[in-house]
């Protein structure tokens, strides 16, 4: 299982737009082949820092999503709202509930 964590930093005024965008596409993203979960979290110390945590069957499933038409629409719209460059890391799940 691959856990992908993407930390994003938004312009303060862009947060409502991002939350609408996420709400509109979350079911389609979490319904991608090999996706086993999608979470959205916000920093408790900086409201402009929002992260996604997604769980993927394997790297191939994550890569297929990143090459999908859906990602090609969602990611550019999301990037336009950033105040700084995001960070993204993939992790192999060693233990989880």
């Amino acid at each position: 299982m691959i856990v992908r964590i993407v930390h994003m930093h938004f312009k303060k005024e862009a947060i409502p737009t991002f939350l609408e965008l996420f709400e509109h596409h979350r079911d389609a993203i979490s319904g991608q082949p090999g996706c086993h979960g999608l979470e959205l979290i916000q920093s408790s110390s900086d409201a402009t820092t929002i992260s996604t945590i997604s769980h993927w069957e394997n790297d191939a499933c994550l890569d297929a999503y990143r090459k999908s038409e859906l990602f090609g629409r969602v990611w550019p719209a999301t990037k336009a709202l950033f105040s700084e460059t995001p960070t993204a890391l993939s992790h192999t799940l060693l233990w989880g509930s």
Side-chain angles (χ1 to χ4, degrees):
M1 179 82 60
I2 301 299
V3 179
R4 179 77 169 177
I5 303 172
V6 182
H7 298 287
M8 301 168 286
H9 308 278
F10 291 92
K11 301 169 195 162
K12 186 175 183 177
E13 66 276 8
I15 292 173
T17 303
F18 169 71
L19 293 175
E20 282 182 32
L21 181 69
F22 183 83
E23 178 69 24
H24 182 73
H25 293 288
R26 70 181 177 149
D27 290 341
I29 296 168
S30 61
Q32 292 294 295
C35 183
H36 294 280
L38 176 63
E39 299 169 288
L40 185 68
I41 59 175
Q42 186 173 39
S43 171
S44 58
S45 61
D46 178 5
T48 65
T49 301
I50 298 175
S51 303
T52 57
I53 303 170
S54 55
H55 300 259
W56 297 89
E57 185 70 31
N58 53 43
D59 285 321
C61 292
L62 173 58
D63 288 342
Y65 166 62
R66 293 175 67 206
K67 293 175 184 172
S68 73
E69 184 268 334
L70 175 63
F71 184 85
R73 281 186 288 124
V74 173
W75 189 242
T78 302
K79 280 177 39 175
L81 306 173
F82 291 158
S83 63
E84 58 186 83
T85 304
T87 58
L89 292 171
S90 292
H91 307 270
T92 299
L93 183 65
L94 298 178
W95 182 87
S97 52

